Amino acid sequence: SLCENTGVLNLNTLITGNAGGTWSGTGVSGSAFNPAGLNGVYAITYSSGSGVCQASSTQNIRVNPVPPAPGAVQGRTTYCNEPVEPLQVSPSAGTSVEWYSDASLTTLLASGNTLTPTTGITATYYLVQVKDGCRSSATSVTVQFLAMPGVPEVPDTVRYCSGQDVPAIQANGTGTMVWFADAGLTTELHRGNTYSPTGNFPASIYVVSESGTCRSSPAQVKLVQEQAITVNISPAGPLTLCRNAQLTLSSSQPSGNTWSTGAQ
């Protein structure tokens, strides 16, 4: 038996009797048999000698067709840090599938309809269909493992006074910063390194770094509202003093006061 894509066969290598004879049959040219384009059983005759001293032998050669290359490979081909899932293919009727790690098809990885990629290693896999010992051309699939971006650097807590805006929050890191209103990362608020919360915002916001299809773990920023402080100075101004006179001013807040003329 031969495969259609085996290549030209030198029939002289099959002679067990006298050499120097002639060959005949479908696909024969001189002493070469070319199975390309053939499918089925073919009678090949070898004749040696001449006249009454001539002998011949006829033998059959079966040419098996080459199955088609495997169809599209199903399964995930890009990963960040997710669990690896098997690749799978649906073979043609009567064929089996072989998976290889190299385009020259020398290193067999697995036989069957599925292959689980090696975790963390970006690689190209090659698969063929096999029937009656004949191997198809290969279909390739590349599985990529992308680098995960780091968790953004943000302040743990941002405090603000009631009635005032929340100050702008800065996130540092690689990739695109994406801000969310919930720990489940379903309600996107903003994209960019700086975010100024406005309106009705939650008690905490979350920011991740995106790079390609990969997303880092979220960093949490707590938003803490402080009670606004009202300060009164006693005695109330405007006041008129004589030169070299002294006056003691008092704050309505007993502590935490910083005094200034307002001059730059």
Side-chain angles (χ1 to χ4, degrees), residues 106-245:
T106 58
T107 304
L108 178 65
L109 297 176
S111 296
N113 298 350
T114 63
L115 172 74
T116 300
T118 302
T119 300
I121 299 178
T122 294
T124 299
Y125 301 95
Y126 303 85
L127 59 156
V128 297
Q129 293 194 119
V130 182
K131 183 178 182 181
D132 297 326
C134 298
R135 191 164 61 182
S136 72
S137 57
T139 295
S140 64
V141 57
T142 299
V143 178
Q144 291 182 304
F145 290 86
L146 305 178
M148 284 292 297
V151 178
E153 297 179 359
V154 291
D156 175 75
T157 303
V158 173
R159 300 179 184 276
Y160 65 101
C161 294
S162 59
Q164 298 181 0
D165 294 334
V166 179
I169 307 172
Q170 178 74 25
N172 297 315
T174 60
T176 301
M177 301 298 152
V178 187
W179 305 76
F180 292 89
D182 58 309
L185 309 180
T186 59
T187 305
E188 183 176 323
L189 298 172
H190 178 70
R191 285 178 175 261
N193 289 62
T194 304
Y195 175 52
S196 299
T198 57
N200 296 322
F201 41 79
S204 291
I205 56 177
Y206 303 84
V207 58
V208 299
S209 176
E210 281 188 352
S211 178
T213 58
C214 295
R215 175 182 288 177
S216 72
S217 299
Q220 181 182 14
V221 181
K222 301 181 185 69
L223 302 179
V224 179
Q225 185 184 73
E226 304 283 7
Q227 185 63 40
I229 299 174
T230 301
V231 178
N232 295 312
I233 297 177
S234 178
L239 300 173
T240 301
L241 296 178
C242 295
R243 189 185 301 274
N244 297 325

Side-chain angles (χ1 to χ4, degrees), residues 3 8-9 57 85 140 169 186 220 253:
C3 296
V8 176
L9 172 66
S57 176
E85 302 171 2
S140 64
I169 307 172
T186 59
Q220 181 182 14
Q253 293 293 330

